[in-house]
Amino acid sequence: MLHLRLITPADTTDEAVRLIEGTVGTAHLAVFAGAARDPAGDVVQCDVAREAADELIGGLRNLGLDEHGSIAVEGIELSLSKRADKAEKDAPGEGADAVLWEQLTDATHEESTLSVTYIAFLSLATMLAACGVVLDNAILIVGAMAVGPEFGPLAGFCTALVQRAPRLAWRSFLALIVGFAIAMLITVGFSHFMSWVDLFDVAKVRADRPNTSFVYNPDWFSFVVAVLAGAAGMLSLTSAKSGALVGVAISVTTVPAAANAAVAFSFSEYAQAWGSTEQLLLNLLGIVLAGTLTLLIQKSLWALQRRRTAAKAS
């Protein structure tokens, strides 16, 4: 269940209440007349089943509450109520299958922001991965994958393609390109520093690295893994199962490939640098394709579910 807290202008409250009452899957409606001060108006609260929330939020936006009032949505961890149980039972479909497009767009918009924190995490992850590839240490590679924040912009780009949101697409694309460019540039400097203090050397870069050589040897398995990880990542976002994102993060070699490209470039190993760049681009492409396709399938299936529900109701 989700909890909605609305601030409605006084002349819109009745319409909002009727919309909530007419939405299957709602419960615990409460109206506090004149309770809101900024903006002035009434406060309306209700609980709604996750699978009915997207339609309700869309209707509330059509009333202009996002412009002249407020729509706040919170997850309910525990609800001991027979009315809530009935609302979830009456709502069409399953909550785990529902996609809250407004929430997804808002979340990916935030995650795809090119900020100092985003660049710092991506740079630190790339430098960690640089240590991992030089030492041929798979544990460091996995750690770097988990630290990397690049799935946020990738998810934002996929969402923007499906929702036809060019501003979000550009924002996500910029975060990816600029973020990786800065992180790789910093890692080139880090590699030169580590070489200066005799911790990195060209012999280690050229040596056989059975545990990490995959980062500069792209093949079809790399693309398959990226596709599977992209689909899993999108499902974890849309179903609010954020724990699965950790598994997604350590499944693809975006950060390690970027790190190896930077290290190889700093030692003039251009063939290895190009192989890593191919690996990076292949993984990014696979994630975007799979993530976009996953969202399109979810959107189509949910639309079909709504049509079936409407047909039964009529």
Side-chain angles (χ1 to χ4, degrees):
M1 294 289 287
L2 299 173
H3 180 69
L4 268 63
R5 185 181 70 253
L6 314 174
I7 294 179
T8 63
D11 58 351
T12 311
T13 300
D14 289 342
E15 289 183 86
V17 169
R18 282 195 296 269
L19 178 61
I20 294 170
E21 291 177 332
T23 301
V24 177
T26 59
H28 309 146
L29 175 62
V31 180
F32 304 91
R37 292 291 181 268
D38 184 20
D42 305 327
V43 174
V44 179
Q45 297 184 0
C46 72
D47 296 340
V48 59
R50 180 181 173 84
E51 52 269 41
D54 192 62
E55 182 178 1
L56 177 57
I57 293 172
L60 293 171
R61 291 196 65 181
N62 290 336
L63 294 178
L65 295 191
D66 55 326
E67 295 182 4
H68 306 295
S70 170
I71 304 173
V73 183
E74 301 173 318
I76 299 177
E77 296 296 329
L78 176 64
S79 179
L80 302 178
S81 167
K82 289 185 177 180
R83 288 182 177 272
D85 294 340
K86 185 178 184 302
E88 287 190 311
K89 183 179 179 180
D90 292 342
E94 295 293 333
D97 298 332
V99 180
L100 298 180
W101 291 102
E102 296 292 343
Q103 184 183 55
L104 180 63
T105 301
D106 184 69
T108 52
H109 183 277
E110 181 179 348
E111 292 295 324
S112 60
T113 300
L114 184 63
S115 63
V116 173
T117 301
Y118 168 79
I119 292 175
F121 270 115
L122 189 56
S123 300
L124 289 171
T126 309
M127 286 187 284
L128 275 173
C131 295
V133 295
V134 171
L135 297 174
D136 194 32
N137 189 315
I139 295 176
L140 287 176
I141 292 293
V142 171
M145 289 176 174
V147 172
E150 73 279 7
F151 191 80
L154 287 167
F157 192 74
C158 296
T159 303
L161 291 179
V162 175
Q163 293 292 85
R164 299 178 183 179
R167 293 182 65 181
L168 177 58
W170 172 247
R171 186 189 190 98
S172 303
F173 181 77
L174 191 67
L176 278 174
I177 299 301
V178 175
F180 269 112
I182 293 175
M184 292 173 72
L185 186 63
I186 290 174
T187 304
V188 169
F190 174 72
S191 180
H192 282 300
F193 171 77
M194 295 294 278
S195 176
W196 180 64
V197 296
D198 294 327
L199 292 176
F200 284 7
D201 61 68
V202 69
K204 292 180 180 179
V205 176
R206 293 174 177 171
D208 292 334
R209 288 178 275 158
N211 293 322
T212 58
S213 61
F214 65 92
V215 301
Y216 57 87
N217 290 312
D219 54 24
W220 280 107
F221 274 108
S222 302
F223 184 74
V224 170
V225 170
V227 167
L228 296 175
M234 272 302 163
L235 285 174
S236 69
L237 283 178
T238 57
S239 62
K241 296 184 182 299
S242 57
L245 280 178
V246 177
V248 172
I250 62 177
S251 297
V252 290
T253 55
T254 49
V255 165
N260 196 76
V263 172
F265 183 83
S266 67
F267 286 103
S268 301
E269 293 292 318
Y270 300 120
Q272 201 176 122
W274 175 244
S276 298
T277 302
E278 284 185 306
Q279 178 77 274
L280 172 61
L281 295 176
L282 194 65
N283 277 271
L284 294 177
L285 176 62
I287 293 173
V288 169
L289 287 176
T292 303
L293 183 60
T294 299
L295 286 177
L296 287 172
I297 292 173
Q298 287 182 290
K299 192 173 186 178
S300 299
L301 290 176
W302 195 249
L304 180 61
Q305 175 67 43
R306 283 183 173 179
R307 286 196 295 269
R308 288 178 176 175
T309 303
K312 287 181 181 179
S314 61

